[in-house]
Structures are given as C-alpha cells and as structure tokens.
Amino acid sequence: MRDGPGRWRERLISAREEERRRLGRDLHDTLGATLAGIRLRLETAGAILTDEPEARRLVTEAAAETGRLIEQIRCVVGDLRPPELADSGLPGALRRLAAGLDGMSATVTADVPDGLPDLPPALELAAYRIASESLTNALRHASASTVAVRLRTDPRGRALILEITDDGVGAASTGHGRRGTGLASISRRAEELGGGCAVLPRPDGVRGTLVRAVLPWGRP
Ligand SMILES: Nc1ncnc2c1ncn2[C@@H]1O[C@H](COP(=O)(O)OP(=O)(O)OP(=O)(O)O)[C@@H](O)[C@H]1O
Ligand SMILES: [Mg+2]
C-alpha cells in the first residue's frame, strides 16, 4: 500500500508545519523589519525634539511601544518554530535546553546522539516540545534532584524514543490523576504523529517519574 492513513497524516502535519514556518518567516521579515524601521525613526525624532518636551515624550513612548510589539512578534515567531531548533537541530536543541535548566534546582542532563536520520520538522518540533514540557514539569512539581533527557531511535529505526526521567516525588503522588494543559498537549502531539506519550512510575524501582514518548515517522 503506497499511501496508508499514517502517511497521509504525516503529510498533513508536515504541510501544516511548513505553513507555520513560512508564517513565522513572513511575520519576522515583514512586520518585524517594518516595525524595527519605525522604531528607529521614532527614536531619532525623539532625540531631535529637544525643544518640544511634550512631543518628545509622545514620540519616545511610541518608540517604546513599538519595541514591545517587536518583542511580542518575536515570541509568536519563536513559538511557531523555536529558534533553537532552527539553529542547532534536535540534538543540539535538546542539549541546550537541558544545559539552560541545569543547576537551578536540580542536575539536568541530556543523553542525545548525533547523526540522527533526517527527521520531518513536525517530529522534531514534537520531540522538542515534549522534552521542554516534561523538564518543566519535573522541575516544577517533582522536587527532583536529577532529571535526565534521553533520546534514541528504536532498533528498527522508524521511531524516536524520548525519555525524561526524574527522581522526584512521582507524578501519581502529586497529580492525583490530574492532567493539565501540559500533559494533554504533549500526548496530543505524540498521537498526531501516530505515536504516544505515557507518564509512568520509574520502571527501575527508584522513586520518580518516567515520561516516555514514541514518535514514529514514515509509517506506511
Ligand atoms: N515529573 C513530575 N513529577 C511529579 N508530578 C508531576 C510530574 N509531571 C506532572 N506532574 C503532575 O501532573 C500534573 C499535571 O501536569 P501538567 O503538565 O498537565 O499541568 P501543570 O504542569 O500543572 O500545568 P501546565 O498546564 O502549565 O503544564 C501536575 O500539576 C503535577 O501535579
Ligand atoms: Mg506542566
């Protein structure tokens, strides 16, 4: 069978992902660039208007507001496609994510191989978001002293296996079965790709939580 439902779903997600990237680039290049130009002119005008304090105040305010708008656009664009992923690919982005959180309240490590196969952007984005939310959860809710991110391809090479393990209090003991936006969102991301995401007690008997996501690609 050339085009099973999994293949169609993947194409649909890839198309959506491509569209989001294009939107992000357009927002950045058009609105972002135009607003940066406007801010520059307002700042210049503000500097010239030394004899007109009221006009100067208004222009300076407008420049500051334009700056805030540029920042908001930057956030929206970053959310469409995190710049870390664009800059360093999935392995680099995961390492940077872990390094950025390491040492604040827990030791955070990333065990991520280089030389992954070429992955669909939608899959990379899902893996990054799942890791990011799970790390945040571990640091917010678990009182963990170590959190580890581990990425592997499965032996048949058709799926990413992403695991986030902590040695905290355990999701069952804090969540009372509650599923907030974060866990619902990471499950949906994995399921959209034909995979799944489970939040489990650690299987090695150590106290803590294991979040395990299986993210397949190229499924017939
Ligand atoms: N690693 C973990 N260790 C302990 N408890 C956890 C862990 N991950 C999740 N939980 C529990 O599961 C609950 C649901 O997590 P979820 O991410 O869905 O929501 P949240 O983090 O509370 O809020 P948000 O919607 O902002 O993510 C958490 O409130 C927490 O009680
Ligand atoms: Mg959360």
Side-chain angles (χ1 to χ4, degrees), residues 106-108 144-148 165-168 202:
T107 302
V108 182
S145 56
T146 63
V147 189
T165 309
D166 69 60
D167 63 354
R202 276 175 69 153

Side-chain angles (χ1 to χ4, degrees), residues 93 116 123 175:
L116 291 173
L123 190 121

Side-chain angles (χ1 to χ4, degrees), residues 4 6 11 130 152 175 188 207:
R11 278 194 199 163
I130 291 170
R152 291 283 173 273
R188 184 179 45 76
R207 195 185 70 150

Side-chain angles (χ1 to χ4, degrees), residues 133 137-138 140-142 166 169-171 174-175 178-183 209:
E133 171 61 21
N137 274 348
R140 266 175 75 195
H141 306 300
D166 69 60
V169 293
T174 62
R178 193 184 89 74
R179 218 166 81 143
T181 313
L183 290 183
T209 301

